[in-house]
Amino acid sequence: MQKLGYGTGVNVYLMKRSPKGISCSPWAVKKINLKCDASQRSTYQQRLNEEAKILKTLQHPNIVGYRAFAEAKDGSMCLAMEYGGEKSLNDLIEERNTKHLGPFPAATILKVALHMARGLKYLHNDKNLLHGDIKSSNVVIKGDFESIKICDVGVSLPLDENMMVSDPEAHYIGTEPWKPKETLEGDGPITDKADIFAFGLTLWEMMTLSIPHLNLEEEDEESSFDEDDFDEDAYYAALGTRPPLNMEELDSSYQKIIELFSLCTMEEPEKRPAAAHIVDVLEAEGCIQ
């Protein structure tokens, strides 16, 4: 199987299926990386089990679909999923950055925003789930943005009727640069708006081709990373806040995206829009599908 990518403790492979000459759609298979620390392997396996359980209940065009959950020859469990595309949004961001192409076109960002918001609306409103780890590497893209799907629901948390994570045993994991302040401080309720903050930062990624708050000095291609280039104090102080934009790189076509990004990254969760409202506004624009 061709390796597509990797995550914390797991690898993802492309499995082509053509039994008896019949062409079948390929699967993306997530498998525990047996080279990872043995002490952590059970945690990763438990997370994969939970992801399979949740994914099996989901069915939406903007969420990667469940296909199978089976045991590999080495005894570990494998999660087979719909093949959403060869590359994640993060892969495309890195490619564009390497080629010095500048921000994605505004129309492309709006399309990604709408399809991601549709997926989040389904998770929040229909399935009462907080995704819990929205970021560019958890969005898979097929072709020239022909399909846009959210993946990796392994750290999802249940939401109550008030769109709040009320289970005292539930723990928000996320990924540090995309975490909103309420998940960092731990003294406030976690709601569906935690996903909205991370969604806003994903739009920021497409405008800046950068990782939120990870500000390294410009380096020559031949230079190596120097820890002195990373201001750890500034990084931790910035977590949970809205990162700045270089407005010189963004013309008037980005105005709606900038407004949406600003609303989604409000520090107060209650001031951020719900996914359903984002969908309504973007669909009302009529220029994206």
Side-chain angles (χ1 to χ4, degrees):
M1 295 189 292
Q2 175 191 342
K3 188 173 181 180
L4 292 175
Y6 61 92
T8 305
V10 297
N11 291 325
V12 182
Y13 302 90
L14 173 64
M15 186 175 80
K16 297 179 180 178
R17 305 181 306 127
S18 297
K20 299 181 180 179
I22 300 173
S23 178
C24 297
S25 60
W27 287 352
V29 178
K30 183 180 288 189
K31 185 178 183 296
I32 299 298
N33 181 357
L34 297 180
K35 294 182 180 179
C36 69
D37 189 332
S39 63
Q40 294 293 319
R41 205 172 297 157
S42 62
T43 300
Y44 300 145
Q45 189 64 66
Q46 182 180 355
R47 193 175 295 176
L48 189 62
N49 294 348
E50 186 63 22
E51 181 174 6
K53 180 181 176 182
I54 294 171
L55 199 61
K56 197 172 185 178
T57 69
L58 307 180
Q59 188 171 2
H60 188 273
N62 296 120
I63 305 290
V64 166
Y66 172 88
R67 293 296 180 265
F69 192 51
E71 187 175 336
K73 291 180 179 179
D74 59 18
S76 64
M77 298 301 292
C78 296
L79 173 59
M81 303 167 288
E82 171 190 13
Y83 174 59
E86 288 186 4
K87 295 179 179 179
S88 70
L89 179 57
N90 180 255
D91 293 331
L92 298 177
I93 289 170
E94 290 184 351
E95 286 181 8
R96 197 169 182 87
N97 197 4
T98 300
K99 295 175 182 177
H100 305 288
L101 295 176
F104 283 83
T108 300
I109 302 177
L110 283 171
K111 183 175 183 179
V112 170
L114 174 57
H115 286 258
M116 285 185 67
R118 285 172 175 165
L120 288 175
K121 176 184 175 182
Y122 171 75
L123 290 176
H124 297 168
N125 294 46
D126 295 0
K127 307 306 291 187
N128 289 102
L129 281 175
L130 178 77
H131 181 280
D133 197 16
I134 291 294
K135 56 185 177 180
S136 60
S137 57
N138 282 339
V139 180
V140 288
I141 309 295
K142 183 176 289 185
D144 186 18
F145 294 90
E146 296 158 20
S147 77
I148 300 156
K149 296 177 183 281
I150 295 170
C151 65
D152 201 352
V153 296
V155 295
S156 296
L157 298 173
L159 295 168
D160 64 16
E161 65 277 6
N162 298 314
M163 290 292 165
M164 186 182 301
V165 177
S166 57
D167 182 355
E169 300 298 319
H171 177 61
Y172 184 93
I173 296 177
T175 302
E176 201 169 63
W178 290 266
K179 283 185 175 184
K181 186 152 288 186
E182 65 268 22
T183 68
L184 292 163
E185 295 178 343
D187 57 356
I190 307 300
T191 69
D192 59 320
K193 303 300 179 65
D195 277 348
I196 300 301
F197 185 90
F199 164 84
L201 291 190
T202 305
L203 304 185
W204 181 88
E205 289 183 81
M206 295 187 74
M207 289 187 281
T208 65
L209 310 182
S210 302
I211 295 173
H213 313 303
L214 199 60
N215 302 314
L216 298 177
E217 298 294 328
E218 288 292 328
E219 300 176 0
D220 297 329
E221 292 184 2
E222 297 180 357
S223 65
S224 58
F225 173 72
D226 187 339
E227 289 186 5
D228 292 337
D229 293 334
F230 179 57
D231 188 337
E232 187 174 359
D233 291 338
Y235 167 73
Y236 282 108
L239 287 179
T241 68
R242 179 189 300 141
L245 284 168
N246 183 354
M247 302 304 293
E248 294 180 1
E249 294 184 348
L250 303 170
D251 59 33
S252 59
S253 67
Y254 292 88
Q255 186 59 38
K256 289 185 177 65
I257 305 164
I258 295 169
E259 291 173 0
L260 178 58
F261 155 71
S262 298
L263 285 171
C264 291
T265 53
M266 296 289 283
E267 189 169 319
E268 301 88 346
E270 62 275 9
K271 292 184 179 180
R272 302 171 204 151
H277 181 63
I278 296 171
V279 171
D280 289 344
V281 170
L282 291 179
E283 287 183 343
E285 297 293 333
C287 57
I288 48 176
Q289 298 298 323

